[in-house]
Amino acid sequence: MSIAPGAMEQMKSSDSKRFRPSSSDGYDDNEAIRSNGEIEELRKDFSVWSLGALCLALMATWEAVTSVVAAALTNGGAPCLFYNYVISFLGSIAIVCSLAEIASIYPTAGGQYHWVAALAPNSQKLVASWFTGWISIGGQIVFTSSAAFAAGLQLQALITLNHADTYVPQRWQGMLFYWLVLIYAAIVNIWGSRVLPHTNLAAGIFHVVGLVAFMAILGVMAPKHDAHYVFVEVSNTSGWKNDGVSWLVGTLSAVYPFLGYDAACHLAEEMPQPSRFVPIAMVGSVVVNGILGLGWTMLLLFSLGDLNDLLTSPTGFPFIQLFLNATKSNSGATVMVVVISLTAIFANAAGLASTSRTYWAFARDSAAPFSKYFAHVDTGLQVPVRAIMIVTILEMLLGFIYLGNSTAFNAILSMSVLGMYSSYLLPVVYMAVHGRRSLSKHQFGPFAMGSILGPIVNVMAICWLVVAIVFSTFPSLMPVTPQNMNYSTVVMAGWLLFGGVFFFGFGRRGYTGPNVEIDR
């Protein structure tokens, strides 16, 4: 791998004067963004509350656990979900604290790839930052689409629930439902962008109120298992002969619900005092969602009923069968499913806002294909319309995977974990290995973990990221067939191959790194 000499010299010569972090010593964040060469093109519509609510709604932890519970129940039963959830919660706290510390130093829309450019050694800045950005965009596209997949397939499942005798679900119909959710998100992000912070706040409230209502319903109406079933009784029906491997494959149901907290950093340029408030939104959303989700997970597992009945549900979603068994009413189950689906629709709209800003920032730094075109911000709407549209189109193309793969939904979840966690891993590694040695104390932002706790948390985060990344690539069922194969590695390899061809063939000539750097 070689870098254009001119580009490398440009980065080296400007390293001491272009790199400038936010500071906890009264440094003005808006001044930081302007001094880093970033022109304020986006409206500052978000507050810490609306941004925190966006992260809550995008993560939608308790709803996500409900939607993806099948992987854990298949690979280890109730104990698999409970213990993996606790481990994933702790691992996610380590990751989000590591990322929030970096975001407090560099509060810009580019997020992960900006951080790598600022933290990596000079010889690695261009390649490392570009590929981090490319992986981040790919991961966010898949993660955002996963919420739309969940909503679309759940809406289709409602037809099965209410018309089981007459309706035969077809995959192409599920894809159309999926596209419908994506189109709605695009419309909201383009023409409803001014109200998006308010709808996110409403979604956050809906998220909490819905949990209280659901816990009351299951707590009163569903029959309960004993503690032995929830904490001890392992059930492996995945086909994996090794229970340990099967258990780790089942981590997907616990890792996926904690994705999305980095959305706050991608909207940093649309709120005041981002170096202070972005870390609050990131860490706060993980802690709040984690606690709420833990309570829900325990109640859910105690209320499962007949596990085989859930896993063989004609709707394709165990939780829909659970709601039906608990309420003994198609109408009651339908209302509960609609709440889960609406949350996924909100999450998709929030995710599109975050992902489009990352793509826009990438294009603004001359890093994306057709950068000049996609770096455009509509002067009337003050949103990156072209970035929103390209992200939506790429998400729509993912729908074709569903046409030929019976476990496409699990594959989308696996791709989300693989892409998002890979983009989280690189900045944390560079912070632990290089950043902490090169940054002085006054260069850290308001959210700083210190010289002792910081490295410990970084190492914990790296360990959990590696474990989750590795097992996200495993097939969920054995034996493997073309229909149930986990295509996450294939899609990731294709994304990286396309990116590599573009970068080394064309992109490196114009990309000199993002304008987010620090005084060394």
Side-chain angles (χ1 to χ4, degrees):
M1 293 183 180
S2 61
I3 305 299
M8 181 56 68
E9 289 303 317
Q10 183 175 349
M11 290 198 73
K12 288 181 178 180
S13 64
S14 63
D15 193 44
S16 62
K17 61 184 179 181
R18 290 175 60 209
F19 283 79
R20 186 176 185 180
S22 64
S23 169
S24 57
D25 300 327
Y27 189 77
D28 182 86
D29 292 301
N30 299 329
E31 180 185 338
I33 292 172
R34 291 190 295 271
S35 68
N36 287 328
E38 311 294 359
I39 300 173
E40 294 183 65
E41 300 177 84
L42 306 175
R43 296 190 310 271
K44 294 187 178 296
D45 288 335
F46 285 89
S47 67
V48 66
W49 292 105
S50 60
L51 191 63
L54 180 144
C55 292
L56 282 177
L58 177 57
M59 292 174 65
T61 298
W62 73 267
E63 297 94 335
V65 167
T66 308
S67 297
V68 304
V69 69
L73 296 182
T74 301
N75 288 276
C80 178
L81 179 58
F82 175 75
Y83 293 113
N84 280 343
Y85 183 94
V86 173
I87 295 170
S88 184
F89 186 15
L90 297 175
S92 297
I93 289 176
I95 297 167
V96 73
C97 286
S98 298
L99 296 179
E101 184 178 45
I102 306 172
S104 187
I105 305 172
Y106 312 108
T108 64
Q112 291 93 310
Y113 83 94
H114 279 187
W115 304 338
V116 168
L119 296 170
N122 287 334
S123 60
Q124 302 173 24
K125 287 183 187 300
L126 282 181
V127 174
S129 65
W130 193 90
F131 275 96
T132 299
W134 189 248
I135 292 171
S136 176
I137 290 169
Q140 287 183 68
I141 287 172
V142 178
F143 173 58
T144 303
S145 70
S146 68
F149 257 112
L153 297 184
Q154 287 162 17
L155 292 175
Q156 184 184 27
L158 285 178
I159 303 177
T160 303
L161 174 65
N162 291 283
H163 303 280
D165 296 333
T166 57
Y167 177 66
V168 179
Q170 302 294 327
R171 291 182 189 173
W172 65 267
Q173 296 167 345
M175 187 177 73
L176 292 181
F177 275 109
Y178 166 64
W179 283 0
L180 184 64
V181 176
L182 294 180
I183 292 170
Y184 164 78
I187 292 172
V188 169
N189 272 270
I190 294 174
W191 290 286
S193 61
R194 290 184 183 274
V195 300
L196 192 59
H198 306 294
T199 59
N200 287 328
L201 189 58
I205 296 171
F206 186 72
H207 168 70
V208 176
V209 173
L211 174 63
V212 174
F214 274 46
M215 292 189 74
I217 293 171
L218 284 192
V220 172
M221 302 184 71
K224 302 297 183 293
H225 288 288
D226 58 18
H228 183 272
Y229 177 86
V230 174
F231 302 116
V232 179
E233 193 173 316
V234 175
S235 173
N236 176 12
T237 59
S238 65
W240 283 97
K241 294 182 179 180
N242 187 301
D243 286 343
V245 173
S246 181
W247 183 289
L248 289 169
V249 173
T251 57
L252 179 64
S253 289
V255 173
Y256 175 78
F258 284 101
L259 295 178
Y261 40 80
D262 63 306
C265 71
H266 302 303
L267 293 163
E269 296 175 36
E270 297 179 54
M271 71 176 305
Q273 302 182 57
S275 66
R276 183 176 302 278
F277 292 142
V278 166
I280 291 175
M282 292 174 69
V283 178
S285 62
V286 171
V287 173
V288 172
N289 261 333
I291 293 173
L292 295 178
L294 180 60
W296 170 251
T297 299
M298 292 182 65
L299 178 60
L300 183 71
L301 295 177
F302 274 103
S303 306
L304 283 178
D306 184 355
L307 183 57
N308 184 64
D309 186 37
L310 303 186
L311 294 176
T312 58
S313 172
T315 66
F317 288 93
F319 78 90
I320 296 180
Q321 190 65 44
L322 171 60
F323 293 163
L324 179 61
N325 294 346
T327 62
K328 296 180 174 56
S329 165
N330 281 12
S331 298
T334 297
V335 171
M336 296 179 74
V337 174
V338 167
V339 171
I340 299 290
S341 301
L342 285 176
T343 303
I345 292 172
F346 292 148
N348 177 248
L352 179 58
S354 171
T355 306
S356 62
R357 271 43 168 200
T358 307
Y359 194 92
W360 167 75
F362 207 54
R364 183 181 61 183
D365 290 327
S366 301
F370 307 105
S371 289
K372 289 184 179 179
Y373 182 80
F374 289 113
H376 175 266
V377 174
D378 187 279
T379 53
L381 298 170
Q382 290 185 280
V383 293
V385 174
R386 295 172 183 176
I388 292 171
M389 291 306 301
I390 187 62
V391 169
T392 301
I393 291 170
L394 290 173
E395 289 176 348
M396 294 180 79
L397 292 177
L398 282 172
F400 289 104
I401 296 177
Y402 182 65
L403 292 182
N405 189 289
S406 60
T407 58
F409 183 57
N410 276 353
I412 293 293
L413 302 182
S414 296
M415 282 187 272
S416 300
V417 174
L418 179 60
M420 296 295 285
Y421 265 29
S422 296
S423 74
Y424 295 168
L425 178 63
L426 293 170
V428 177
V429 168
Y430 277 114
M431 182 65 172
V433 173
H434 188 260
R436 292 195 177 278
R437 290 183 295 145
S438 58
L439 288 168
S440 60
K441 186 176 180 180
H442 78 275
Q443 289 178 311
F444 282 82
F447 186 91
M449 292 188 289
S451 59
I452 297 177
L453 181 61
I456 295 173
V457 173
N458 290 161
V459 171
M460 291 173 59
I462 291 169
C463 291
W464 176 241
L465 284 165
V466 170
V467 169
I469 287 171
V470 169
F471 285 98
S472 72
T473 64
F474 280 47
S476 56
L477 300 173
M478 293 292 285
V480 178
T481 67
Q483 286 72 40
N484 66 18
M485 176 182 171
N486 184 341
Y487 287 95
S488 60
T489 52
V490 177
V491 175
M492 175 64 87
W495 182 254
L496 289 176
L497 178 62
F498 177 79
V501 170
F502 168 77
F503 179 74
F504 291 107
F506 310 96
R508 64 177 179 174
R509 299 170 188 170
Y511 179 62
T512 59
N515 291 318
V516 181
E517 308 177 345
I518 76 172
D519 295 320
R520 295 287 183 188

